[in-house]
Short mmCIF file of all heavy atoms in Angstrom, two decimals:
data_model
loop_
_atom_site.label_atom_id
_atom_site.label_comp_id
_atom_site.label_asym_id
_atom_site.label_seq_id
_atom_site.Cartn_x
_atom_site.Cartn_y
_atom_site.Cartn_z
N ALA K 1293 0.82 -1.21 0.04
CA ALA K 1293 -0.04 0.02 0.00
C ALA K 1293 0.88 1.24 -0.01
O ALA K 1293 1.98 1.28 0.49
CB ALA K 1293 -0.88 -0.01 1.23
N SER K 1294 0.31 2.34 -0.56
CA SER K 1294 0.95 3.66 -0.51
C SER K 1294 -0.04 4.65 0.12
O SER K 1294 -1.26 4.55 -0.04
CB SER K 1294 1.30 4.13 -1.95
OG SER K 1294 2.29 3.34 -2.48
N GLN K 1295 0.54 5.65 0.80
CA GLN K 1295 -0.25 6.74 1.41
C GLN K 1295 0.40 8.01 0.94
O GLN K 1295 1.64 8.21 1.00
CB GLN K 1295 -0.24 6.61 2.87
CG GLN K 1295 -0.94 7.78 3.57
CD GLN K 1295 -2.45 7.71 3.46
OE1 GLN K 1295 -3.06 6.69 3.76
NE2 GLN K 1295 -3.06 8.75 3.01
N ILE K 1296 -0.41 8.94 0.40
CA ILE K 1296 0.05 10.27 -0.07
C ILE K 1296 -0.40 11.31 0.91
O ILE K 1296 -1.56 11.43 1.26
CB ILE K 1296 -0.42 10.51 -1.47
CG1 ILE K 1296 0.13 9.48 -2.46
CG2 ILE K 1296 -0.05 11.93 -1.94
CD1 ILE K 1296 -0.42 9.60 -3.86
N ILE K 1297 0.55 12.23 1.26
CA ILE K 1297 0.29 13.41 2.06
C ILE K 1297 0.57 14.61 1.18
O ILE K 1297 1.69 14.69 0.59
CB ILE K 1297 1.15 13.41 3.33
CG1 ILE K 1297 0.86 12.22 4.18
CG2 ILE K 1297 0.96 14.74 4.07
CD1 ILE K 1297 1.90 12.01 5.30
N THR K 1298 -0.35 15.57 1.14
CA THR K 1298 -0.12 16.80 0.38
C THR K 1298 -0.18 18.01 1.35
O THR K 1298 -0.98 17.98 2.25
CB THR K 1298 -1.09 16.98 -0.76
OG1 THR K 1298 -2.44 17.03 -0.26
CG2 THR K 1298 -0.99 15.89 -1.76
N ILE K 1299 0.71 18.97 1.13
CA ILE K 1299 0.77 20.19 1.94
C ILE K 1299 0.99 21.37 1.00
O ILE K 1299 1.91 21.39 0.16
CB ILE K 1299 2.01 20.12 2.92
CG1 ILE K 1299 1.98 18.83 3.72
CG2 ILE K 1299 2.01 21.37 3.75
CD1 ILE K 1299 3.31 18.50 4.35
N ASN K 1300 0.13 22.35 1.12
CA ASN K 1300 0.31 23.65 0.39
C ASN K 1300 0.79 24.65 1.40
O ASN K 1300 0.00 25.26 2.12
CB ASN K 1300 -1.05 24.10 -0.22
CG ASN K 1300 -1.34 23.36 -1.50
OD1 ASN K 1300 -0.58 22.66 -2.04
ND2 ASN K 1300 -2.58 23.57 -1.98
N ALA K 1301 2.10 24.84 1.41
CA ALA K 1301 2.73 25.68 2.40
C ALA K 1301 2.94 27.09 1.85
O ALA K 1301 3.29 27.25 0.66
CB ALA K 1301 4.08 25.14 2.85
N THR K 1302 2.70 28.12 2.67
CA THR K 1302 2.89 29.53 2.28
C THR K 1302 4.32 29.87 2.60
O THR K 1302 4.82 29.69 3.69
CB THR K 1302 1.95 30.46 2.99
OG1 THR K 1302 0.59 30.08 2.69
CG2 THR K 1302 2.18 31.93 2.59
N VAL K 1303 5.00 30.46 1.56
CA VAL K 1303 6.41 30.90 1.74
C VAL K 1303 6.41 32.27 2.39
O VAL K 1303 5.61 33.15 1.98
CB VAL K 1303 7.12 30.89 0.42
CG1 VAL K 1303 8.60 31.33 0.58
CG2 VAL K 1303 7.02 29.49 -0.26
N ALA K 1304 7.26 32.52 3.35
CA ALA K 1304 7.33 33.81 3.98
C ALA K 1304 7.70 34.92 3.02
O ALA K 1304 8.25 34.66 1.91
CB ALA K 1304 8.40 33.77 5.09
N ALA K 1305 7.30 36.14 3.34
CA ALA K 1305 7.56 37.29 2.44
C ALA K 1305 9.01 37.79 2.61
O ALA K 1305 9.63 37.53 3.66
CB ALA K 1305 6.60 38.39 2.74
N SER K 1306 9.48 38.44 1.59
CA SER K 1306 10.78 39.23 1.66
C SER K 1306 11.97 38.35 1.88
O SER K 1306 12.99 38.80 2.48
CB SER K 1306 10.69 40.29 2.77
OG SER K 1306 9.58 41.17 2.54
N LEU K 1307 11.93 37.09 1.41
CA LEU K 1307 13.12 36.28 1.53
C LEU K 1307 14.11 36.62 0.43
O LEU K 1307 13.72 36.95 -0.76
CB LEU K 1307 12.77 34.79 1.40
CG LEU K 1307 11.92 34.25 2.59
CD1 LEU K 1307 11.55 32.79 2.25
CD2 LEU K 1307 12.64 34.36 3.91
N VAL K 1308 15.37 36.61 0.70
CA VAL K 1308 16.42 37.02 -0.25
C VAL K 1308 16.59 35.84 -1.26
O VAL K 1308 16.60 34.70 -0.93
CB VAL K 1308 17.76 37.20 0.50
CG1 VAL K 1308 18.87 37.55 -0.44
CG2 VAL K 1308 17.57 38.40 1.52
N ASP K 1309 16.82 36.27 -2.52
CA ASP K 1309 17.14 35.27 -3.55
C ASP K 1309 18.34 34.45 -3.13
O ASP K 1309 19.30 35.00 -2.61
CB ASP K 1309 17.44 35.97 -4.88
CG ASP K 1309 16.17 36.50 -5.58
OD1 ASP K 1309 15.11 36.23 -5.07
OD2 ASP K 1309 16.31 37.11 -6.66
N GLY K 1310 18.29 33.17 -3.42
CA GLY K 1310 19.37 32.26 -3.08
C GLY K 1310 19.19 31.59 -1.73
O GLY K 1310 19.96 30.60 -1.40
N THR K 1311 18.19 32.00 -0.92
CA THR K 1311 17.84 31.32 0.34
C THR K 1311 17.43 29.96 0.09
O THR K 1311 16.68 29.64 -0.88
CB THR K 1311 16.73 32.14 1.07
OG1 THR K 1311 17.21 33.45 1.30
CG2 THR K 1311 16.34 31.43 2.34
N LEU K 1312 17.82 28.98 0.94
CA LEU K 1312 17.51 27.59 0.80
C LEU K 1312 16.42 27.25 1.88
O LEU K 1312 16.56 27.57 3.03
CB LEU K 1312 18.67 26.72 1.04
CG LEU K 1312 19.84 26.91 0.11
CD1 LEU K 1312 21.00 25.89 0.42
CD2 LEU K 1312 19.48 26.76 -1.37
N ILE K 1313 15.32 26.64 1.43
CA ILE K 1313 14.29 26.16 2.30
C ILE K 1313 14.54 24.64 2.53
O ILE K 1313 14.30 23.87 1.54
CB ILE K 1313 12.92 26.44 1.75
CG1 ILE K 1313 12.66 27.94 1.48
CG2 ILE K 1313 11.81 25.86 2.72
CD1 ILE K 1313 11.34 28.22 0.84
N VAL K 1314 15.01 24.24 3.68
CA VAL K 1314 15.36 22.85 3.93
C VAL K 1314 14.34 22.23 4.89
O VAL K 1314 14.20 22.74 5.99
CB VAL K 1314 16.79 22.81 4.52
CG1 VAL K 1314 17.18 21.31 4.74
CG2 VAL K 1314 17.85 23.49 3.66
N THR K 1315 13.65 21.24 4.39
CA THR K 1315 12.56 20.62 5.16
C THR K 1315 12.93 19.18 5.54
O THR K 1315 13.05 18.30 4.66
CB THR K 1315 11.32 20.58 4.26
OG1 THR K 1315 10.96 21.88 3.83
CG2 THR K 1315 10.09 20.03 5.11
N PRO K 1316 13.12 18.89 6.84
CA PRO K 1316 13.37 17.52 7.31
C PRO K 1316 12.08 16.74 7.40
O PRO K 1316 11.07 17.20 7.96
CB PRO K 1316 14.04 17.77 8.67
CG PRO K 1316 14.29 19.24 8.78
CD PRO K 1316 13.29 19.91 7.92
N ILE K 1317 12.15 15.47 6.95
CA ILE K 1317 11.02 14.55 7.03
C ILE K 1317 11.49 13.31 7.72
O ILE K 1317 12.57 12.77 7.45
CB ILE K 1317 10.51 14.12 5.61
CG1 ILE K 1317 10.24 15.32 4.75
CG2 ILE K 1317 9.33 13.14 5.69
CD1 ILE K 1317 8.98 16.05 5.12
N ARG K 1318 10.65 12.81 8.71
CA ARG K 1318 11.01 11.69 9.57
C ARG K 1318 9.89 10.70 9.54
O ARG K 1318 8.68 11.04 9.71
CB ARG K 1318 11.28 12.16 10.96
CG ARG K 1318 11.66 11.13 12.01
CD ARG K 1318 11.77 11.76 13.38
NE ARG K 1318 12.06 10.87 14.43
CZ ARG K 1318 13.28 10.63 14.91
NH1 ARG K 1318 14.32 11.27 14.37
NH2 ARG K 1318 13.45 9.80 15.90
N VAL K 1319 10.17 9.42 9.28
CA VAL K 1319 9.16 8.38 9.20
C VAL K 1319 9.54 7.23 10.14
O VAL K 1319 10.69 6.74 10.14
CB VAL K 1319 9.00 7.84 7.76
CG1 VAL K 1319 7.88 6.76 7.68
CG2 VAL K 1319 8.65 8.99 6.81
N THR K 1320 8.55 6.79 10.98
CA THR K 1320 8.82 5.70 11.90
C THR K 1320 7.61 4.67 11.74
O THR K 1320 6.55 5.01 11.24
CB THR K 1320 8.89 6.20 13.36
OG1 THR K 1320 7.69 6.96 13.67
CG2 THR K 1320 10.08 7.07 13.57
N ALA K 1321 7.80 3.50 12.31
CA ALA K 1321 6.72 2.45 12.37
C ALA K 1321 7.05 1.55 13.45
O ALA K 1321 8.16 1.45 13.98
CB ALA K 1321 6.65 1.77 11.02
N THR K 1322 6.03 0.79 13.91
CA THR K 1322 6.18 -0.16 15.02
C THR K 1322 7.22 -1.24 14.60
O THR K 1322 7.14 -1.79 13.46
CB THR K 1322 4.82 -0.80 15.29
OG1 THR K 1322 3.88 0.21 15.66
CG2 THR K 1322 4.99 -1.80 16.48
N ASP K 1323 8.14 -1.54 15.54
CA ASP K 1323 9.13 -2.56 15.36
C ASP K 1323 10.15 -2.26 14.21
O ASP K 1323 10.90 -3.13 13.77
CB ASP K 1323 8.54 -3.94 15.09
CG ASP K 1323 7.74 -4.40 16.25
OD1 ASP K 1323 8.07 -4.08 17.43
OD2 ASP K 1323 6.68 -5.11 16.07
N MET K 1324 10.17 -1.02 13.71
CA MET K 1324 11.12 -0.71 12.67
C MET K 1324 12.52 -0.52 13.35
O MET K 1324 12.60 0.19 14.33
CB MET K 1324 10.66 0.61 11.93
CG MET K 1324 11.48 0.84 10.63
SD MET K 1324 10.67 2.00 9.48
CE MET K 1324 10.98 3.57 10.30
N GLU K 1325 13.52 -1.13 12.71
CA GLU K 1325 14.82 -1.20 13.34
C GLU K 1325 15.63 0.07 13.08
O GLU K 1325 16.83 0.09 13.44
CB GLU K 1325 15.52 -2.45 12.89
CG GLU K 1325 16.03 -2.42 11.45
CD GLU K 1325 14.90 -2.63 10.42
OE1 GLU K 1325 13.76 -2.91 10.76
OE2 GLU K 1325 15.17 -2.52 9.21
N ASP K 1326 15.08 1.00 12.42
CA ASP K 1326 15.82 2.30 12.13
C ASP K 1326 14.79 3.38 11.89
O ASP K 1326 13.60 3.12 11.82
CB ASP K 1326 16.66 2.12 10.89
CG ASP K 1326 17.92 2.95 10.87
OD1 ASP K 1326 17.86 4.02 11.51
OD2 ASP K 1326 18.88 2.54 10.25
N THR K 1327 15.29 4.56 11.88
CA THR K 1327 14.42 5.71 11.59
C THR K 1327 14.77 6.25 10.22
O THR K 1327 15.90 6.30 9.78
CB THR K 1327 14.71 6.86 12.61
OG1 THR K 1327 14.61 6.33 13.94
CG2 THR K 1327 13.73 7.99 12.45
N ILE K 1328 13.74 6.59 9.43
CA ILE K 1328 13.99 7.15 8.09
C ILE K 1328 14.02 8.68 8.25
O ILE K 1328 13.11 9.34 8.78
CB ILE K 1328 12.81 6.79 7.12
CG1 ILE K 1328 12.79 5.27 6.91
CG2 ILE K 1328 13.00 7.54 5.82
CD1 ILE K 1328 11.64 4.80 6.12
N ASN K 1329 15.17 9.28 7.92
CA ASN K 1329 15.39 10.71 7.96
C ASN K 1329 15.84 11.22 6.64
O ASN K 1329 16.89 10.85 6.13
CB ASN K 1329 16.45 11.07 9.02
CG ASN K 1329 15.97 10.90 10.45
OD1 ASN K 1329 15.22 11.72 10.93
ND2 ASN K 1329 16.36 9.77 11.03
N LEU K 1330 14.99 12.11 6.02
CA LEU K 1330 15.25 12.69 4.69
C LEU K 1330 15.11 14.17 4.80
O LEU K 1330 14.49 14.70 5.73
CB LEU K 1330 14.32 12.04 3.69
CG LEU K 1330 14.52 10.58 3.37
CD1 LEU K 1330 13.33 10.07 2.54
CD2 LEU K 1330 15.83 10.25 2.72
N GLN K 1331 15.71 14.87 3.84
CA GLN K 1331 15.52 16.34 3.72
C GLN K 1331 15.24 16.68 2.27
O GLN K 1331 15.80 16.09 1.33
CB GLN K 1331 16.82 17.08 4.19
CG GLN K 1331 17.00 16.97 5.71
CD GLN K 1331 18.06 17.91 6.24
OE1 GLN K 1331 18.03 18.26 7.39
NE2 GLN K 1331 19.02 18.30 5.40
N HIS K 1332 14.42 17.76 2.13
CA HIS K 1332 14.15 18.31 0.76
C HIS K 1332 14.50 19.75 0.81
O HIS K 1332 14.16 20.47 1.67
CB HIS K 1332 12.63 18.07 0.41
CG HIS K 1332 12.38 18.46 -0.99
ND1 HIS K 1332 12.23 19.72 -1.42
CD2 HIS K 1332 12.25 17.67 -2.13
CE1 HIS K 1332 12.00 19.80 -2.69
NE2 HIS K 1332 11.98 18.55 -3.18
N THR K 1333 15.17 20.17 -0.30
CA THR K 1333 15.66 21.55 -0.35
C THR K 1333 15.04 22.22 -1.55
O THR K 1333 15.05 21.70 -2.66
CB THR K 1333 17.18 21.63 -0.46
OG1 THR K 1333 17.76 20.98 0.64
CG2 THR K 1333 17.68 23.04 -0.53
N THR K 1334 14.48 23.47 -1.35
CA THR K 1334 13.97 24.35 -2.41
C THR K 1334 14.63 25.69 -2.30
O THR K 1334 14.89 26.15 -1.15
CB THR K 1334 12.45 24.48 -2.27
OG1 THR K 1334 11.83 23.16 -2.32
CG2 THR K 1334 11.87 25.34 -3.40
#
């Protein structure tokens, strides 16, 4: 099975060109022997 999550996030005003928006995502589950840690950069 797959599950999709969608988020429409508002970007703050007056950010300087070249700024990086780095979003950490963490996924866990029962009895999972590790944590999934990913990042997305815009």
